[in-house]
Amino acid sequence: MEGIGIGAPVRRVEDLRFLRGAGRFVDDIAAHNAAYLHVLRSPHAAARITGIDTAAARAMPGVLLVLTEADLDIPARLRCVTPRHRRDGAPLVQPPWRVLPAAAVRHVGDAVAAVVARTPAAAQDAAERIEVAYEPLPSVTDLAEAGRPGAPAVWPDLTPGNECFHFRLGDFAAVDAAFARAAHTVALDYRISRVSANPMEPRNALAMHDPIEDRYTLYTGTQLPHVMRNEIAEFALGIPSNRLRIVSPDVGGGFGMKESPFPEHVLCLLAARRLGRPVRWTATRTESFLSDSHARDNVSQAELALSADGDFLAMRVTTLANMGAYLAWQGPVSSTNNVGGLAGVYRTPHICTEVTGYFTHTQPTAPYRGAGRPEAIHAMERLVDLAAERLGLDRAEIRRRNMIRPEQMPFQTGLDYAYDSGDFPRNQELALAAADWDGFPARRAQSAARGMLRGIGIANAIESAGGPHRKPLEEGAEIRFDSGGTATILLGSHNHGQGHETVFRQIIATRLGLLPDRVRIQFGDTDVVAHGRGTIGSRSMMAAGGALVGAAEKVIARGKRIAAHLLEAAEADMEFADGTFRVAGTDRGLGIEAVAKASYVPGALPDGAELGLGAALVTRPGDATFPNGCHVAEVEVDPETGETRLLAYTVVDDVGTVINPLLVKGQIHGGVAQGFGQVFGEAIRYAEGQLLTASFQDYPMPRASDFSDIVVKSNPVPTRTNALGVKGAGEAGTVGALPALVGAVVDALRPHGVTHLEMPLTPERVWAAMRGAG
């Protein structure tokens, strides 16, 4: 349907309620007689708990309940579901993550006790009266120190050396042989800083318990309602899944952090059962810094081997990854599941990598927008910049020489991934033209005339979206027509800012010919939606979109049978297009809404026939997709202060079929912004076990004024691995932003002898680098 279907730049229907302040978030949900939970958190990075005295807290006005580990009547633990192994082949070290620790705390912010009271203030005041006797212990928060001999052990009984897992991938012998015959090699030791997701809506919970059914309900902002239901019910509470309902309404950002269960979810549920009344908890911003899962935080050594002509021969990367004190639900995913991205868009025949996960006295790390993809592309693209300088080649030219060409598709990379489609050379060609790469020397001279340093960076990005690769996970969708002829779409995928309520209506408009106002979208309620994997890893359009297309095909097939009966025609003669069932070669037809209405009319269908029109489908796509693109960033550095200003940013992206170009651009803009934040300021820092960055005064978030215009152009090459031909778009911006921005600043500082900078590129760090290297 022209103007509203697939490919149309339809504005988000969600924005109407959000801009009016009418969004419905967890804190907006009314709950009569609700109590409030407050968590007492450890001030120590490592300490034994030798005693807890809660008497004074229990006697405080308004206090309803005080919980310590001794008060829990079930194990109440969280788990990691990512299978990894130790060097001897045994399963990874998975320590117990109790919702309240029994004998020791292992990071600042670790939950120690919980108080429930009639008001938030009363709960907080009472928590401050709990006396906890700690015996402080040595701690290690720096990943680079965690594996060294003599480092304090986070779990001395499980792994004295703090090693959690050791992961290897690739042909190490072939890589070593290629390095031995290489004419040139370049190497880079680098660190990917630790960051916090910081969504606009903090983590939260509203828990209820029905004593008649002995059934729980949890309202919480989560990306994976069904998965979280199963995890909390079966592994934390020890109850069947159908005794827990999870409702996730509007969610103010997730970014991967809100995919997994947290101790506060379980504590609220247990408290609600004990008290027989609803229990609420919402994190403060400082509490979020102390208790949300963090992300990234790894240290790597990377090498690239080249021929005399600059052909890439081999690459190897060794990485240390910080798991934190406990293993998050998918803690090892970011450091291991997306290492195939090290291949980038190049023909490098041999690549190998090994990753060692370590425990530290810090919060658990978990997937965050990109989840290992930005780290992988950063390694390759920074090495390519170094190789270009070593060989005296233009940075764009050395990339062009080594790119996989479209006629080589499908292409098996040197490490794990097999790309099915893409035109990488054209991405770069379009991006260089849009960014006026050839005109950069003149602009650099203009900056120099003003005493400023100007630099330009380029990065070719590719990622695996909607995976795991070769084993993509299933997703569910259902189409229900009511007796009035209108449709409700039930999705296992969850909308937390992407615009699902808009784009899924566009798919239905194209496939079933229904106008947007005749379609209702529902998601986020495990009692209403039968099954779903949820929204992570840029999978919604390929997985949920594919399931929706399959359900629509089932609706059309059933509709043809019904329409054939109503029109007294043979089913084989029925056609469907633009929302109408027609008898082929005639003008006789019925609209899909009329067919839906008739399907509920007694006597309209043959005796004994199933009534109603609708279909459900749980399916999985053929494979992960590989969105790709080229990023070009241009910056200006003040040599007197080290301050960097972004002047221009250009992206050419291939996300396959573009369902809605406006929303794709919005996703790319958001991803670039998060990458920019990490490059220029965001960094979680510890000193002597203490978190130094527990507020936005210490953890600088990017602002709108920090950005130039971000030009986004499309070079779509649809994939054949799913019904819509789509590739993921949600994380694409972040994947290319890190190396493009770092490369631009390094290019500006090249006259000072700077070849690499570690994130974040604060003015102080840039200023010091110019003087240290000069």
Side-chain angles (χ1 to χ4, degrees):
M1 302 178 76
E2 189 174 352
I4 60 173
I6 291 175
V10 178
R11 292 189 176 277
R12 298 193 339 162
V13 299
E14 299 94 324
D15 290 345
L16 184 62
R17 69 175 187 274
F18 292 144
L19 293 174
R20 292 177 173 178
R24 194 162 186 257
F25 300 89
V26 171
D27 281 356
D28 297 317
I29 296 171
H32 176 67
N33 203 32
Y36 296 85
L37 181 137
H38 182 87
V39 179
L40 178 68
R41 302 188 182 278
S42 169
H44 300 284
R48 293 188 185 93
I49 299 175
T50 59
I52 302 180
D53 185 351
T54 62
R58 296 178 193 274
M60 291 283 287
V63 172
L64 303 171
L65 180 68
V66 177
L67 292 173
T68 67
E69 197 276 336
D71 299 308
L72 303 182
D73 55 4
I74 59 173
R77 298 181 181 183
L78 305 179
R79 67 166 188 162
C80 170
V81 298
T82 306
R84 289 290 169 258
H85 297 86
R86 289 178 256 185
R87 294 177 191 269
D88 61 2
L92 86 177
V93 178
Q94 182 160 180
W97 187 3
R98 296 177 172 89
V99 298
L100 293 173
V105 292
R106 291 178 170 82
H107 67 86
V108 172
D110 209 351
V112 176
V115 177
V116 184
R118 290 187 172 89
T119 67
Q124 181 175 352
D125 289 345
E128 292 173 356
R129 297 294 298 274
I130 297 175
E131 297 289 338
V132 183
Y134 294 104
E135 181 185 324
L137 299 170
S139 65
V140 58
T141 56
D142 188 342
L143 170 62
E145 301 293 328
R148 292 180 179 171
V154 181
W155 298 95
D157 296 336
L158 298 177
T159 174
N162 290 321
E163 188 169 308
C164 173
F165 66 84
H166 186 71
F167 174 84
R168 288 165 59 93
L169 186 67
D171 188 335
F172 285 74
V175 169
D176 290 344
F179 269 86
R181 67 174 183 272
H184 305 282
T185 63
V186 291
L188 179 67
D189 294 351
Y190 66 96
R191 185 162 197 159
I192 302 290
S193 49
R194 173 178 280 236
V195 293
S196 177
N198 298 323
M200 292 179 68
E201 180 193 26
R203 287 193 299 112
N204 48 38
L206 169 60
M208 303 174 184
H209 179 258
D210 179 352
I212 305 301
E213 286 194 78
D214 190 17
R215 191 166 190 263
Y216 300 85
T217 298
L218 176 65
Y219 293 87
T220 187
T222 176
Q223 300 168 230
L224 311 178
H226 292 81
V227 171
M228 185 178 284
R229 176 199 62 187
N230 297 348
E231 285 294 315
I232 292 177
E234 297 176 17
F235 298 99
L237 298 178
I239 60 174
S241 294
N242 64 1
R243 283 177 53 198
L244 173 62
R245 175 192 182 194
I246 287 189
V247 182
S248 185
D250 288 329
V251 175
F255 309 122
M257 186 271 291
K258 290 183 183 175
E259 72 174 25
S260 50
F262 282 88
E264 296 84 2
H265 295 132
V266 183
L267 290 171
C268 284
L269 290 164
L270 294 175
R273 188 195 67 190
R274 294 275 188 98
L275 295 173
R277 64 197 292 180
V279 174
R280 287 186 179 277
W281 171 79
T282 300
T284 65
R285 188 57 68 180
T286 293
E287 192 174 20
S288 293
F289 275 110
L290 288 167
S291 64
D292 290 356
S293 53
H294 291 162
R296 316 277 199 237
D297 197 356
N298 50 60
V299 176
S300 298
Q301 297 175 318
E303 299 174 273
L304 181 66
L306 304 95
S307 71
D309 295 329
D311 293 332
F312 302 167
L313 302 178
M315 180 189 190
R316 57 189 173 203
V317 181
T318 303
T319 296
L320 311 181
N322 196 340
M323 295 293 102
Y326 307 98
L327 285 180
W329 181 66
Q330 291 202 100
V333 160
S334 296
S335 58
T336 61
N337 285 34
N338 293 304
V339 292
L342 289 168
V345 299
Y346 308 111
R347 299 188 302 273
T348 317
H350 306 294
I351 305 173
C352 67
T353 184
E354 54 184 326
V355 181
T356 308
Y358 284 97
F359 293 109
T360 62
H361 291 101
T362 63
Q363 286 155 249
T365 55
Y368 166 72
R369 198 171 193 171
R373 305 163 180 91
E375 297 94 312
I377 295 301
H378 187 75
M380 172 57 89
E381 292 298 304
R382 292 297 301 125
L383 285 173
V384 175
D385 280 354
L386 293 174
E389 185 172 11
R390 173 73 59 85
L391 275 67
L393 293 172
D394 178 79
R395 286 171 290 160
E397 174 58 27
I398 194 172
R399 287 170 165 85
R400 188 181 296 113
R401 288 186 188 183
N402 286 279
M403 275 184 188
I404 302 163
R405 296 186 297 274
E407 61 270 20
Q408 294 176 300
M409 296 292 181
F411 186 89
Q412 176 62 56
T413 70
L415 188 68
D416 192 26
Y417 291 164
Y419 302 151
D420 68 288
S421 61
D423 189 344
F424 311 145
R426 181 162 171 76
N427 287 344
Q428 180 169 297
E429 177 186 341
L430 292 172
L432 294 179
D436 189 18
W437 179 272
D438 292 339
F440 175 74
R443 297 192 296 277
R444 171 175 267 172
Q446 293 170 359
S447 293
R450 294 184 287 104
M452 307 296 281
L453 301 172
R454 197 173 188 124
I456 193 167
I458 182 173
N460 287 299
I462 191 166
E463 55 167 319
S464 173
H469 179 41
R470 299 188 183 93
K471 297 179 182 179
L473 301 176
E474 85 291 345
E475 190 53 86
E478 183 177 358
I479 303 170
R480 293 181 188 169
F481 279 89
D482 54 47
S483 58
T486 55
T488 298
I489 310 302
L490 299 102
L491 298 169
S493 180
H494 193 288
N495 182 15
H496 44 269
Q498 297 89 338
H500 290 183
E501 295 168 56
T502 302
V503 294
F504 284 107
R505 281 185 171 92
Q506 290 182 256
I507 294 171
I508 288 297
T510 296
R511 295 287 174 157
L512 295 182
L514 290 171
L515 294 172
D517 63 355
R518 308 296 287 175
V519 179
R520 182 169 179 254
I521 306 288
Q522 278 197 286
F523 51 82
D525 188 334
T526 59
D527 272 11
V528 174
V529 179
H531 179 74
R533 277 283 176 175
T535 301
I536 51 173
S538 302
R539 70 188 303 270
S540 292
M541 281 302 98
M542 58 170 287
L548 183 59
V549 168
E553 291 171 350
K554 292 174 71 174
V555 165
I556 292 169
R558 174 161 171 75
K560 285 181 177 180
R561 291 195 295 272
I562 297 171
H565 175 77
L566 296 173
L567 294 171
E568 298 180 338
E571 183 180 336
D573 292 335
M574 297 305 302
E575 298 176 338
F576 180 78
D578 299 325
T580 300
F581 295 95
R582 296 186 184 278
V583 179
T586 75
D587 59 358
R588 298 170 59 220
L590 287 171
I592 191 170
E593 293 190 35
V595 171
K597 288 180 181 180
S599 73
Y600 287 95
V601 175
L605 300 184
D607 291 342
E610 178 185 352
L611 301 184
L613 181 62
L617 183 65
V618 177
T619 187
R620 69 179 194 177
D623 199 353
T625 64
F626 294 96
N628 55 88
C630 182
H631 295 228
V632 179
E634 195 163 330
V635 301
E636 195 172 64
V637 177
D638 185 338
E640 297 300 320
T641 66
E643 183 178 1
T644 301
R645 184 164 65 99
L646 181 64
L647 302 177
Y649 201 101
T650 303
V651 184
V652 173
D653 246 307
D654 167 18
V655 297
T657 301
V658 177
I659 305 295
N660 186 318
L662 284 180
L663 270 62
V664 167
K665 287 183 179 180
Q667 287 289 298
I668 301 300
H669 285 188
V672 169
Q674 286 187 271
F676 178 98
Q678 178 161 14
V679 169
F680 289 109
E682 293 186 52
I684 292 290
R685 300 179 185 275
Y686 291 89
E688 298 181 358
Q690 294 297 312
L691 178 63
L692 303 182
T693 49
S695 77
F696 289 145
Q697 288 183 312
D698 307 301
Y699 186 98
M701 296 283 282
R703 303 180 180 185
S705 58
D706 293 327
F707 294 94
S708 65
D709 184 28
I710 300 175
V711 176
V712 178
K713 294 184 176 294
S714 184
N715 180 34
V717 181
T719 178
R720 296 181 180 179
T721 61
N722 61 72
L724 290 167
V726 295
K727 303 174 183 177
E731 291 158 294
T734 309
V735 175
L738 269 61
L741 290 164
V742 171
V745 177
V746 169
D747 184 54
L749 272 53
R750 204 174 305 278
H752 290 264
V754 175
T755 58
H756 182 68
L757 283 171
E758 295 288 6
M759 295 177 282
L761 308 187
T762 60
E764 177 188 13
R765 180 167 287 176
V766 172
W767 184 89
M770 284 188 285
R771 280 142 186 84

